[in-house]
Structure formats: C-alpha cells, structure tokens
Amino acid sequence: MTASAHGPTASEYVVHHLTHLNTLGGPQKDIVDFSVINLDTLFFSVLLGGLTVYLLYRAARKATSGVPTRFQAAVEILVEMVADQAKGVIHSAESRKFVAPLGLTVFIWIFFMNAMDLVPVDLLPRIWEGIYVAAGGDPHHAYLRVVATADINATLGMSIGVLLICIYYNVKIKGFGGWLHELFTAPFGSHPLLYPVNFLMQIIEFLAKTLSHGLRLFGNMYAGELIFILIALLGGTATVLGFVGHVLAGTAWAIFHILIITLQAFIFMMLTLVYVGQAHEGH
Amino acid sequence: MNLNATLIAQLVVFFILGWFTMKYVWPPIVKALDERSAKIAEGLAAADKAKADLALAEKKAVEELRKAREEAAQLRAAADKQIAKLMEEARAEATRLIAQAREAAEQEARAAVERIKDDLREEVARLAVAGAERILRREIDAKAHAELLANLKQELV
C-alpha cells in the first residue's frame, strides 16, 4: 500500500488494513448488522479449520500402536496434553468424549488463525488487491484482513458456542428443572427474596464468562495485528531509521507474538474445558 | 469491530469442526495411545518376568553345580575307599604268599640241611670206619661192628 502511486496517509493505511472484506464492499456502518458477513474472516477461518481437521484426520488415519512417526508423535503429544487437561477439569468421561476433541480442535484451529499474524502484514492484502484490480475493482475497496481471530465475530462466535455447550451440559447433568432451580437458588441460597438476586448473578456470570472468553482472544490478536501494522508503517517511511526500526521491532514483536498466539490458543482451549467442567458441578 | 452474521457462521463452523474431531480424529488416536500403553506395559511385565526367570535359572544352575560337585566328591571318596580296600586285600594276599613261599623255602632248606647232614654223617662214619679200618686193618669187621658204627653215627648228629 505504502508503495502505491497516490501514497495513502498513515491513518488511511491503518483504517484500510482494519476494514473487513464483507458483503457490503465497504466498511460496516452499524455496530450490529446481521445482514452483513465478513468474507475474509469466514474464508480464513474455514480454510484453517479445514487444514486443522485435515492434519488431525491424517494423523488419526495412520495412528497405530507401533512406533509412531514424528508427525504422529507430535499429534499424540497434543492429544495427550488436551486429554490430561480435560481429565483434570471435567469429571464425566461421557462428556469428555465430545469436549476433549473439541478442545483439541479449538486449540490447533485458533493457533493457526492466530499464526496468520506472522504472515507479513501487507503480503496477502497486496495479492488480493492485485486480484481485485484485475477483476475490475477499485483498489481502495480491496479490503482484506487475514487474522480471523482479530475479528470479534469469530471469537464471540466461538465463545457463544462454548456457552451453548455449557447450557447443554447444565441441562443434561442437572435436568432442566434442576438447572432452573440452581439459577434461582445459587450462589446466595434458597429464599424467595434472594431469587431475583441469584438469577441476576447467574446471568451476569454467564455473560461475563462468554464475553471475557471471546474478547480476551479478540483483544490480544487485534492489538497484535495493529502493532504489526504500525511497525509496517515505520518501514513505510523509506528512511534508514525506519528500515532499521522496522527490522528490529518487527523481529522482536514477531518472536514475542509466537508466545502470544500459542498462549492465547491454549487459554481459549483451557477456558472452554473449565467452563464446561463448571457446568457439570452444582453450586 | 462490528458485529454481524460472521458470528453465526463461525459458531456453526466451530460445532462442525468439533463434531468432526470427535467422530473421526479423537477415537483412533486415543485407541492407538491406549493400545501402545498396554503394549509397553506388557513388554515391561515380560521383561520383569524374564529377569525373574533368569535369576531363578541361575539359582538352579548354582544348586545343580553344587549337587554335582557333592556327588563327585562322594564318588571319589567311595572310589578311594574301594582302592584302599583292594590294596589292603592285595597286600594281605601278597603277605600270605610271601609267608607261604618262605615257609616252603625254609622247609626245603631244612630238608636239604638234613640231607646234607645225613650225607655228611654217612661220610664221616664212612671215613671214620675207613680210618679205623686203615688203623686196625682187619680187626674191624664192618658187619660185626655195624652196631658200633651206628652208635658212632648217632653221636655225630
């Protein structure tokens, strides 16, 4: 972008990078608009999700009890890790049959989506711009964001998925009546005066869990992406200082980001397991 | 930063991926892991058993060796005893034979001495008679003086 003829300002560059490729063809005006869909998020999310299950499926197809290949051993390490964590927080073996595999997939999937942050920040948008222009589009409208987890829709979508699983297990383990009873009597106790307070607390708890679950991942990845964009701006100044700064800061941030993308993927998986585990326990 | 239908799409993808992993990924891998654990446990147990067997066999071997040695010692002792007995018998036999031989030799020697004595006596008697004959000439009649000669012979013994 920085090299284009008209030379966008720093502000234009950042805003362009933070605009989704959606069905509107431009920035979304309303805060909530369910008639719009972010095509870039969906594309990368499905692509990397497909890659995740493809890799796992390949490992599963060739899994033997004999001497494992390195690839198989690597997948097995992940499986063991997730299985151990799941065993620690979910005490129902029946529930683990679904939640543990889900945790594994979520971990690898989110890791891949986060890892898109490490692809040079202008590479894919630039390629997309080329395609878009070749197809007769206006380069100013060639939006593309490659980090699906830096889209709040993706992270909240997944955290709401976890919420639905929690509700499912709440009902399954305690029965619908039992769960309703818990909603009104926990955490403060069974007294008609306390029912509204309890219920309010429970709703706040569910909301807080779900929002913090999704927003934590979104915030980390969004901030990371933004810093990569800012570092790219440094190089975009085309000065010696800017170049050196870009190389140094870009290297340092990318190395640090390896930790963040792994950690955030792990945290999301762990919280998924923990929340589902909590759904199994009565207050 | 705006909410839209991507959220719902992501939700659906989330469940599809979870379902796929649950159905096609997790079970075979976990099964392989469990099987390998079982195999390793079996292998370790077999190794332990083999070790125990080896120790047992070694103990048995030592025991057998000790028994064999004892038996050999016993055999040797018996053989020694037998040899001693045989030697003793042989020695006794030899002693007996030597004694017999000596006895026989002594008897023979005695008989020979006796014979020689007799012969010598005869000779002396004959010489005495011949001497006397020569001295006395005809005065002595061998036949008449036979008794005298016999007495003389007796005295010479």
Side-chain angles (χ1 to χ4, degrees):
Chain A
M1 284 300 296
T2 47
S4 40
H6 30 74
T9 64
S11 155
E12 278 169 3
Y13 175 76
V14 171
V15 168
H16 186 88
H17 262 291
L18 293 180
T19 306
H20 279 288
L21 172 69
N22 56 24
T23 45
L24 288 174
Q28 185 181 333
K29 294 286 184 290
D30 304 313
I31 291 293
V32 181
D33 183 352
F34 277 97
S35 66
V36 182
I37 193 156
N38 293 336
L39 296 173
D40 47 3
T41 299
L42 201 61
F43 174 75
F44 285 108
S45 157
V46 170
L47 181 76
L48 295 170
L51 178 68
T52 303
V53 291
Y54 167 70
L55 288 178
L56 289 177
Y57 185 62
R58 253 191 53 179
R61 279 286 295 274
K62 291 184 182 163
T64 63
S65 57
V67 179
T69 60
R70 285 182 173 191
F71 174 65
Q72 194 195 332
V75 173
E76 281 171 4
I77 288 169
L78 287 173
V79 168
E80 286 272 29
M81 187 267 288
V82 177
D84 280 352
Q85 301 287 0
K87 233 171 250 174
V89 291
I90 303 170
H91 301 300
S92 155
E94 185 61 33
S95 304
R96 279 206 300 272
K97 276 186 191 160
F98 171 60
V99 183
L102 181 76
L104 174 70
T105 302
V106 159
F107 176 59
I108 300 174
W109 186 28
I110 292 179
F111 175 79
F112 280 158
M113 289 194 286
N114 291 352
M116 290 304 285
D117 238 355
L118 298 174
V119 177
V121 76
D122 270 314
L123 181 65
L124 293 174
R126 194 61 195 245
I127 292 169
W128 171 241
E129 193 185 303
I131 297 168
Y132 197 74
V133 172
D138 177 0
H140 288 107
H141 290 141
Y143 302 109
L144 185 72
R145 289 184 64 186
V146 299
V147 188
T149 41
D151 179 358
I152 195 168
N153 291 294
T155 61
L156 276 184
M158 290 189 289
S159 67
I160 290 170
V162 174
L163 174 71
L164 294 180
I165 294 170
C166 286
I167 292 173
Y168 168 77
Y169 280 114
N170 263 316
V171 172
K172 190 186 169 195
I173 302 292
K174 299 159 191 166
F176 189 67
W179 183 50
L180 271 186
H181 180 258
E182 186 186 286
L183 276 183
F184 284 99
T185 56
F188 296 120
S190 179
H191 188 281
L193 277 178
L194 290 173
Y195 287 169
V197 187
N198 284 330
F199 185 69
L200 194 68
M201 285 300 289
Q202 290 273 2
I203 295 305
I204 289 173
E205 193 184 327
F206 275 115
L207 266 179
K209 271 186 196 170
T210 302
L211 282 178
S212 67
H213 198 189
L215 288 176
R216 177 181 302 105
L217 178 60
F218 161 72
N220 273 284
M221 299 327 295
Y222 188 82
E225 192 188 19
L226 195 58
I227 289 175
F228 274 118
I229 293 169
L230 295 178
I231 290 170
L233 270 175
L234 203 61
T237 58
T239 59
V240 174
L241 188 71
F243 180 78
V244 172
H246 187 170
V247 169
L248 286 181
T251 306
W253 184 242
I255 290 170
F256 181 56
H257 218 59
I258 295 173
L259 172 69
I260 294 182
I261 60 178
T262 316
L263 193 64
Q264 287 304 321
F266 181 74
I267 288 173
F268 198 96
M269 178 208 80
M270 268 319 287
L271 285 178
T272 302
L273 297 178
V274 168
Y275 290 161
V276 174
Q278 281 176 352
H280 285 69
E281 287 156 14
H283 276 274
Chain B
M1 265 243 265
N2 307 304
L3 286 177
N4 58 34
T6 314
L7 191 152
I8 291 154
Q10 184 79 6
L11 181 63
V12 173
V13 175
F14 175 80
F15 278 111
I16 290 172
L17 294 183
W19 169 81
F20 184 89
T21 313
M22 174 188 72
K23 190 99 178 169
Y24 297 109
V25 174
W26 192 266
I29 292 180
V30 168
K31 192 167 148 264
L33 286 174
D34 287 350
E35 274 172 14
R36 192 177 314 138
S37 302
K39 246 189 206 174
I40 291 170
E42 250 169 50
L44 288 176
D48 277 351
K49 197 176 162 290
K51 219 186 267 170
D53 284 354
L54 183 66
L56 206 72
E58 259 169 19
K59 220 165 133 191
K60 219 180 194 175
V62 168
E63 181 69 15
E64 288 293 325
L65 209 60
R66 196 184 58 74
K67 239 188 238 169
R69 221 172 264 145
E70 241 167 49
E71 233 162 70
Q74 258 171 20
L75 278 177
R76 200 184 299 127
D80 281 353
K81 226 158 132 193
Q82 183 77 9
I83 287 167
K85 196 176 146 219
L86 285 175
M87 293 270 280
E88 195 55 44
E89 273 174 14
R91 203 172 283 134
E93 177 73 10
T95 312
R96 197 178 59 75
L97 281 176
I98 288 166
Q100 219 171 34
R102 190 182 291 144
E103 183 83 6
E106 271 173 6
Q107 245 170 32
E108 211 165 298
R110 252 197 316 270
V113 166
E114 210 56 44
R115 212 168 43 239
I116 289 165
K117 267 184 188 166
D118 280 354
D119 284 356
L120 281 174
R121 215 176 278 133
E122 294 264 359
E123 187 71 10
V124 169
R126 202 184 47 80
L127 283 175
V129 171
E133 232 175 26
R134 221 167 270 166
I135 298 161
L136 300 177
R137 286 285 156 181
R138 305 166 130 175
E139 282 175 37
I140 291 170
D141 183 1
K143 275 180 191 137
H145 297 95
E147 198 182 337
L148 184 81
L149 287 172
N151 284 342
L152 194 68
K153 236 191 274 183
Q154 206 69 41
E155 271 162 37
L156 283 168
V157 175

